[in-house]
Amino acid sequence: MRVLLGVTGGIAAYKVALVLRRLVEDGHSVRVAPTAASLNFVGRATWEALSGHPAPTETFEDVPSVAHVRLGQSADAVLVAPATADFLSQMASGAARDLLGNALLATEAPIVVAPAMHTEMWNDPATRANVATLRARGVHVIEPAVGRLTGPDSGPGRLPEPDALVAALYGVVRGEGLSLSDASLPWGDLAGRTVVVTAGGTREPIDAVRYLGNRSSGLQGFAIAEAARERGAEVTVVAANVTLPLGEGISRVDVSTAEELSQAVESLAPAADAVVMAAAVADFRPAAVAESKLKKDGSGGMTLELVETPDILAGLVASRPAGQVVVGFAAETGDDAGSVLQHGAAKARRKGADLLVVNEVGGGRGFGTVDNTVTILDSAGARVGEASGSKLAVAGAVLDRIVERLRTE
Ligand code: C5P
């Protein structure tokens, strides 16, 4: 079929190069009409090379062939992706400011529009009204996906993945229409899977105001949760003292102590396909908690008696249902007795988790820093992966290993 692909000025335009490639590979003839603003994100050469046709922007670029009318008239289907808030407004008002605006007015083919923008813009009453207007006119407006946006924020506003866009277009062309829940259709290699992630660091109270804690920020656990959600999983995060926000569509249980974390994990784990214990859980807690603030008594010091907390990870490994993948984290420092990896391998064998993600901490590494470097070991202590870079990149590597194990169950 002949497809008109409109590209407007949003960063998600880069994903649409893959949509074009897929359509061409499927044997369709695709004409791309990028708006001028979109060329800031993806250059004309990309569209022309992948489609094999010119990719004009302006109404006056190819006047003799009356491209502004022909492009719309000759299309069997139209996809606009990404559609910015401004473009939705232009479309809803019937404006024909550029070649794409003209072509949309001139077409009788079904039109599928995939908006992508920040959550606030998507929720703005003006955008909501424009979407309602377009839908009332029979335009198929895809709900944006929920997940990581351009900056550190998350929420509805992501352009769905290229394959989902192509599937939505084909569905509309087949006359099946577009269900509004299309963006939540299963996609990604964790679709249909339930993932529980613990994140942050526990705090064990000493008295009414003090606690024993650690420097874990929760960034790595949250990155795993966000990445798992983006890959289609149902995700619940058990967050121990984390003040960071989580993307929409991710459930969150806030806890503080190891005991609370243990109870939350115990109730969530049985239904999970994968449990990722990224939280730094205290190994010891004070034997007794003073009800009021402990006072100095002039004796020059005090001794705090600590007792071991139960190893939640070990409990999970012992009681896991068949097929569940259990992942532990080990923050290690090298010492005279062995390197970080030697300690990690010994811990992998001791703990028996399917995967142990080992990272070196101390000296400013690991905790709270934005980047991370990890080695992933299996339960025998053998290296099965490594990753370095942003915590999201590390999350991706950990999830890749989880997916491999879930596939072979
Ligand atoms: O032995 P270590 O504390 O280094 O092991 C770290 C791993 O074990 C992490 O995955 C952590 O979430 C988990 N852990 C636990 N319960 C504890 C201590 C650690 O589940 N009491």
Side-chain angles (χ1 to χ4, degrees), residues 198-200 202 258 261-262 265 276-284 308-316 327-332 347 350-351 353 355-357:
T198 66
T202 62
L261 189 134
S262 171
V265 169
V276 182
M277 289 288 293
V281 184
D283 291 327
F284 301 97
E308 263 190 39
T309 55
D311 191 319
I312 304 164
L313 184 60
L316 276 174
V327 184
F329 269 68
E332 294 291 343
K347 186 169 286 182
R350 204 168 57 241
K351 295 233 174 197
L355 297 165
L356 190 74
V357 184

Side-chain angles (χ1 to χ4, degrees), residues 306-402:
L306 302 178
V307 291
E308 263 190 39
T309 55
D311 191 319
I312 304 164
L313 184 60
L316 276 174
V317 169
S319 64
R320 75 187 139 172
Q324 183 181 74
V325 179
V326 176
V327 184
F329 269 68
E332 294 291 343
T333 52
D335 56 24
D336 292 346
S339 67
V340 169
L341 269 188
Q342 284 166 335
H343 285 302
K347 186 169 286 182
R349 290 188 285 269
R350 204 168 57 241
K351 295 233 174 197
D354 300 285
L355 297 165
L356 190 74
V357 184
V358 183
N359 67 335
E360 185 171 2
V361 291
R365 284 180 296 267
F367 286 139
T369 52
V370 174
D371 280 358
N372 209 356
T373 299
V374 303
T375 303
I376 306 173
L377 306 177
D378 66 12
S379 55
R383 182 193 298 239
V384 291
E386 51 204 345
S388 184
S390 71
K391 289 189 170 175
L392 213 48
V394 169
V398 173
L399 292 174
D400 285 347
R401 298 288 96 75
I402 292 177

Side-chain angles (χ1 to χ4, degrees), residues 3-179:
V3 180
L4 171 62
L5 180 60
V7 183
T8 77
I11 175 71
Y14 78 91
K15 284 187 182 174
V16 177
L18 290 172
V19 172
L20 171 56
R21 199 179 174 87
R22 172 74 197 279
L23 289 170
V24 171
E25 275 170 4
D26 285 356
H28 306 297
S29 165
V30 187
R31 298 289 177 137
V32 185
T35 62
S38 79
L39 298 178
N40 289 308
F41 296 103
V42 178
R44 199 191 303 277
T46 300
W47 305 124
E48 294 189 340
L50 290 175
S51 71
H53 296 287
T57 300
E58 301 305 331
T59 318
F60 297 104
E61 271 179 44
D62 185 12
V63 174
S65 69
V66 204
H68 68 288
V69 177
R70 191 175 41 78
L71 263 184
Q73 280 175 342
S74 60
D76 300 309
V78 180
L79 173 64
V80 181
T84 60
D86 181 62
F87 195 78
L88 293 176
S89 155
Q90 181 183 331
M91 251 184 109
S93 69
R97 277 189 230 132
D98 47 21
L99 188 61
L100 180 58
N102 276 278
L104 289 173
L105 289 178
T107 193
E108 289 184 349
I111 302 175
V112 177
V113 173
M117 62 198 71
H118 281 276
T119 305
E120 293 81 0
M121 298 173 82
W122 174 245
N123 288 334
D124 186 89
T127 307
R128 310 301 323 149
N130 290 330
V131 169
T133 302
L134 292 171
R135 283 183 174 149
R137 286 188 199 138
V139 174
H140 303 274
V141 182
I142 301 180
E143 285 290 305
V146 178
R148 190 72 177 224
L149 302 174
T150 316
D153 48 339
S154 296
R158 270 173 67 89
L159 189 72
E161 296 308 300
D163 280 352
L165 292 176
V166 173
L169 181 70
Y170 290 171
V172 166
V173 171
R174 282 195 303 268
E176 293 161 10
L178 185 74
S179 104

Side-chain angles (χ1 to χ4, degrees), residues 146 183-197 224-238 247-252 268 271-276 399 406:
V146 178
S184 53
L185 279 179
W187 59 269
D189 50 12
L190 284 169
R193 301 292 191 175
T194 301
V195 177
V196 173
V197 183
I224 290 171
E226 304 267 4
R229 170 78 192 134
E230 283 175 22
R231 290 166 75 153
E234 281 288 323
V235 183
T236 301
V237 172
V238 180
E248 275 185 41
I250 300 179
S251 309
R252 174 177 186 147
L268 292 164
D273 294 293
V275 182
V276 182
L399 292 174
L406 286 173

